[in-house]
Amino acid sequence: MRPILEVKDLQVSFATYAGELQAVRKVNLAVNPGEAVAVVGESGCGKSLTAQTIMGLIPSPPGRVVGGQIFFEGQDLLQLNEAQLQGVRGNRIGMIFQDPLTSLNPTMKIGKQIAEGLQKHQGLARAEALEKAREMLQLVGIPHPERRLNQYPHEFSGGMRQRAMIAIALACRPKLLIADEPTTALDVTIQDQIINLLKNLQRQLDMAIVLITHDLGVVAGLCSRVVVMYAGQVLESGPVREIYCRPRHPYTQGLLASVPKINKQGEALFSIAGSPPDLLNPPAGCPFAPRCSKAMLICRESAAQEQEVSPGHRVACWLDLYLAQNRKREVTG
């Protein structure tokens, strides 16, 4: 199956007074049609920036794509001009941004904000676009959509604002939806509703989803694969069950160990010691090595190449390669 989205060796840098900040460093990512993939990691790891680069939303200057390719339905998005990108953005690729309160226009009624994209991309008349907007509000589960069309964002609750953002992103029935922290600042009950809504809409509309999140708890309910990012790089990727049950990279192991567990109430939460590296001067070796209790000398000197450790499960870790080589020697020796 050909991926609907394929990111190859993506590199994004920002010019700063202190030098070049290497924010995304040779990221590879593939999403198949109808598939939901999660991109997880600490704040500042480059996951949201990768999503914004796919959408062509990196401010330039100071940001610039240094290298790589982004193929969507076989077309390299990095080769398109702004006019061509506008035909893709919001039409064939939809995006839900982190904070709906700041992403929605406070001076425009919700109906008009949904109808805008329909008028621009599908050439609908105002009345027809508003009727489609009403249908979208109904589709995302907002009650009394006829009345809600004429209300402003401040008249919506947090969960309803997030549903309105989803309605805007899906108005043109895109083939790919990028959801950037769609459950941030929502309580647990509303989070569950939003994840279930996205799952149902994915099935109804037959679309692919890229879920950007640092909350590992929401991943298993929606996604089939997960990509783990750290310091602008992908350290591990694979099926959700495989990653959760058998994480191979020490960073992934640390992330999963830090998730609160209901059967360990009263125990201190695990935390990964140390801080992420300075991407103005990134390390030559594995970026996680300074924080890794299992780091070897080679980890600090050279970055490990990704290798497949089981079907669909890839990891970039010298320790895994070292253990695999030792096992091979034991079998053959």
Side-chain angles (χ1 to χ4, degrees):
M1 181 184 295
R2 184 178 184 177
I4 189 171
L5 174 70
E6 191 171 13
V7 178
K8 294 184 175 182
D9 292 330
L10 182 64
Q11 300 175 69
V12 181
S13 293
F14 284 82
T16 72
Y17 290 112
E20 183 182 6
L21 180 71
Q22 300 175 42
V24 174
R25 303 187 293 150
K26 292 196 173 181
V27 163
N28 290 284
L29 171 68
V31 183
N32 293 319
E35 183 184 33
V37 176
V39 181
V40 304
E42 295 174 80
S43 295
C45 71
K47 54 188 188 296
S48 291
L49 189 59
T50 299
Q52 290 166 14
T53 307
I54 293 169
M55 295 295 287
L57 296 176
I58 296 299
S60 179
R64 66 188 181 98
V65 177
V66 178
Q69 297 170 302
I70 301 173
F71 290 102
F72 174 69
E73 295 184 326
Q75 185 177 35
D76 189 354
L77 299 182
L78 296 179
Q79 300 303 315
L80 304 185
N81 58 37
E82 182 58 27
Q84 292 170 321
L85 265 177
Q86 286 182 14
V88 175
R89 188 168 53 219
N91 186 24
R92 292 156 58 199
I93 304 178
M95 186 165 183
I96 305 170
F97 295 93
Q98 286 191 28
D99 184 359
L101 187 59
T102 56
S103 299
L104 292 169
N105 188 330
T107 68
M108 287 175 61
K109 294 177 180 178
I110 291 294
K112 186 176 180 182
Q113 296 192 53
I114 301 172
E116 251 189 345
L118 291 163
Q119 291 176 279
K120 177 180 176 60
H121 295 297
Q122 297 187 358
L124 300 185
R126 182 176 180 276
E128 191 179 359
L130 285 173
E131 175 56 25
K132 289 281 188 181
R134 184 197 64 77
E135 292 175 4
M136 289 306 303
L137 289 181
Q138 189 172 31
L139 182 67
V140 299
I142 291 181
H144 313 295
E146 299 84 357
R147 178 163 57 87
R148 294 295 186 179
L149 278 176
N150 295 308
Q151 292 184 329
Y152 292 91
H154 73 270
E155 298 178 85
F156 281 47
S157 66
M160 287 175 63
R161 280 195 293 266
Q162 192 61 279
R163 288 172 185 267
M165 280 294 300
I166 295 172
I168 293 171
L170 299 184
C172 294
R173 305 295 174 107
K175 299 305 293 180
L176 172 67
L177 174 68
I178 299 175
D180 189 0
E181 303 279 8
T183 58
T184 298
L186 300 177
D187 63 54
V188 177
T189 304
I190 304 300
Q191 281 186 14
D192 186 58
Q193 291 176 7
I194 295 298
I195 292 301
N196 284 329
L197 173 64
L198 289 174
K199 187 190 303 184
N200 292 332
L201 291 172
Q202 178 194 15
R203 185 167 54 249
Q204 289 179 46
L205 304 178
D206 188 30
M207 67 180 177
I209 294 178
V210 176
L211 174 67
I212 310 291
T213 184
H214 64 268
D215 187 346
L216 293 171
V218 307
V219 172
L222 177 64
C223 301
S224 59
R225 285 197 301 119
V226 61
V227 174
V228 181
M229 284 189 67
Y230 179 78
Q233 292 182 314
V234 174
L235 297 186
E236 188 166 5
S237 63
V240 168
R241 185 180 294 274
E242 179 83 7
I243 295 286
Y244 277 46
C245 295
R246 287 179 290 276
R248 306 293 283 263
H249 199 285
Y251 176 63
T252 311
Q253 294 168 3
L255 280 182
L256 290 168
S258 66
V259 176
K261 296 175 178 60
I262 196 167
N263 62 342
K264 295 187 178 181
Q265 295 185 28
E267 294 185 16
L269 286 175
F270 174 82
S271 63
I272 302 173
S275 302
D278 180 5
L279 293 184
L280 287 167
N281 186 27
C286 174
F288 188 62
R291 305 173 71 183
C292 181
S293 60
K294 303 173 183 177
M296 302 176 289
L297 180 60
I298 194 172
C299 300
R300 301 178 186 277
E301 294 178 344
S302 177
Q305 297 298 311
E306 268 193 322
Q307 61 171 330
E308 190 168 54
V309 293
S310 63
H313 187 178
R314 301 181 65 82
V315 62
C317 181
W318 281 114
L319 180 63
D320 210 284
L321 183 61
Y322 175 76
L323 293 174
Q325 289 174 337
N326 275 358
R327 284 193 292 270
K328 185 177 179 181
R329 290 193 194 102
E330 289 171 5
V331 171
T332 58

